[in-house]
Amino acid sequence: MSTVLYFTAQWCGPCKAMKPIVEEFEKEYLEPSVIRIDADDEFKLAQEHKIQAVPTFILLSEEGEELNRWKGPMNKEKFKKFALGE
């Protein structure tokens, strides 16, 4: 099962715009799981993943390898394709 790491921040406008898109995806699909990470609260983790902007999405394989990365907001269809690895 792959995983999407979603680096976000409370003050981030584009992150707020992504919230309903991510929530709708989670209702439609059980996999991959989306893990929200506040880049301010988890600064060291954000550094480890070289996060330079929020929102940033990282698609990980079952083994934890980075398969894809996207910086910035995206529409529902683009997020779906990203999260499903299409």
Side-chain angles (χ1 to χ4, degrees):
M1 169 176 69
S2 59
T3 302
V4 175
L5 301 181
Y6 171 23
F7 287 88
T8 184
Q10 292 181 12
W11 51 263
C12 172
C15 299
K16 291 175 185 176
M18 285 301 303
K19 184 177 180 180
I21 293 170
V22 172
E23 288 175 349
E24 189 173 329
F25 176 83
E26 289 175 310
K27 287 178 185 175
E28 290 181 35
Y29 297 91
L30 297 176
E31 293 180 11
S33 60
V34 178
I35 300 173
R36 288 168 190 75
I37 302 165
D38 187 298
D40 293 330
D41 292 343
E42 299 293 337
F43 183 72
K44 287 185 179 183
L45 187 58
Q47 280 186 318
E48 288 174 21
H49 287 282
K50 298 177 176 57
I51 302 303
Q52 298 174 346
V54 288
T56 294
F57 300 89
I58 301 174
L59 179 63
L60 300 176
S61 70
E62 291 179 26
E63 295 78 27
E65 294 179 45
E66 184 173 326
L67 300 174
N68 201 355
R69 177 181 290 241
W70 181 271
K71 292 182 211 174
M74 56 185 118
N75 65 31
K76 178 183 173 183
E77 190 60 33
K78 181 108 178 142
F79 180 75
K80 176 183 164 185
K81 286 182 178 182
F82 173 87
L84 296 176
E86 297 177 358

